[in-house]
Amino acid sequence: MIRVKLSAWTASFRFPTFQSGYQPTLPVPPPSTIQGLLSAVKGEPVYLTELPYLGYVFKSSGKGIDLEKIYALGKIETDIMRREFLYNTELYLYLPDEWKEHFRKPKYQLLLGRSSDLATVEEIKRVELEEREAPIGGTVVPVSLGVPGMVHALVVEHDYSVIPRRPKLVKPFIVLPYPRTDGERKRQRANALYDSDLNIGVYLHRWG
């Protein structure tokens, strides 16, 4: 498999239970963000259920709050909304080898959230991962894995054959921030594939 490293100054991932007012960000991208990213790379809709496997690890240096000017629909009124964002971000994607050529020449701009969260490809590397118990994080995992964490119902993929797009597959996930402390690395452990370069476990999703 290959590992693709992307970096971006900022990233933000919509918190599914907040529709208006203060907008927090999830600590890691949901699967639907990865679907959008892969679709931009390939230049056509990509469905994660059609991939043989997919893994990802996301980390950032911290979180900030941005102030956005918003306009009420059909009115002249404006307001200020606070929106969280993550900064100095890195996303590692684990994909089948055929994605190497797509990431060398992406069709469209790559985003980690909103249109201002531009990402660049820093490295494409072939990796061999060892199966063992390891700390995992910076990703989402199935509830059945039994790792403690926040549980959210997240969209796996959208149906792009209709306008506007509609959620095609929604599943419950444990959202695991990247483990930074010894306690988090001990608590967030599971049988996974171990990436010795990053010293982190990688959970491979297989939705097909």
Side-chain angles (χ1 to χ4, degrees):
M1 74 175 69
I2 61 166
R3 184 185 69 203
V4 182
K5 177 186 178 184
L6 296 100
S7 65
W9 287 349
T10 60
S12 59
F13 310 114
R14 196 174 73 80
F15 214 94
T17 52
F18 283 71
Q19 297 298 327
S20 60
Y22 182 76
Q23 293 292 303
T25 176
L26 287 174
V28 302
S32 57
T33 295
I34 306 298
Q35 182 198 16
L37 188 65
L38 296 183
S39 298
V41 168
K42 199 169 181 181
E44 61 185 62
V46 171
Y47 292 96
L48 303 187
T49 51
E50 297 176 1
L51 298 181
Y53 60 83
L54 162 72
Y56 64 92
V57 174
F58 174 87
K59 59 183 179 179
S60 69
S61 296
K63 190 185 327 184
I65 298 176
D66 197 8
L67 299 179
E68 287 187 346
K69 184 178 183 180
I70 59 172
Y71 293 85
L73 189 64
K75 300 178 182 178
I76 305 176
E77 302 167 9
T78 63
D79 201 353
I80 300 295
M81 186 175 67
R82 296 193 301 161
R83 183 189 296 274
E84 289 183 351
F85 66 93
L86 303 158
Y87 62 90
N88 291 340
T89 68
E90 295 177 353
L91 174 64
Y92 298 87
L93 295 169
Y94 299 82
L95 292 159
D97 292 355
E98 56 263 31
W99 280 90
K100 182 177 180 180
E101 293 306 314
H102 296 305
F103 273 97
R104 278 183 172 171
K105 294 182 180 178
K107 295 288 186 183
Y108 298 107
Q109 65 270 31
L110 308 182
L111 306 174
L112 293 184
R114 297 176 299 156
S115 58
S116 57
D117 301 320
L118 286 170
T120 56
V121 178
E122 285 200 3
E123 183 186 55
I124 304 172
K125 181 179 180 181
R126 197 162 201 290
V127 293
E128 299 286 341
L129 306 182
E130 172 194 1
E131 188 167 357
R132 52 169 269 195
E133 186 183 85
I136 56 175
T139 189
V140 300
V141 297
V143 175
S144 58
L145 200 62
V147 181
M150 291 185 296
V151 178
H152 283 287
L154 300 175
V155 176
V156 173
E157 62 183 16
H158 286 100
D159 182 358
Y160 286 101
S161 66
V162 295
I163 300 175
R165 67 180 188 182
R166 292 186 305 206
K168 186 178 178 184
L169 177 63
V170 179
K171 296 180 78 68
F173 291 100
I174 298 171
V175 177
L176 291 175
Y178 190 86
R180 300 185 181 282
T181 66
D182 289 343
E184 290 170 338
R185 294 183 70 84
K186 289 179 181 176
R187 189 167 55 249
Q188 296 179 196
R189 296 186 74 85
N191 287 323
L193 295 175
Y194 178 66
D195 187 332
S196 58
D197 288 348
L198 305 181
N199 190 22
I200 192 74
V202 180
Y203 184 85
L204 286 190
H205 294 278
R206 302 176 194 272
W207 287 300

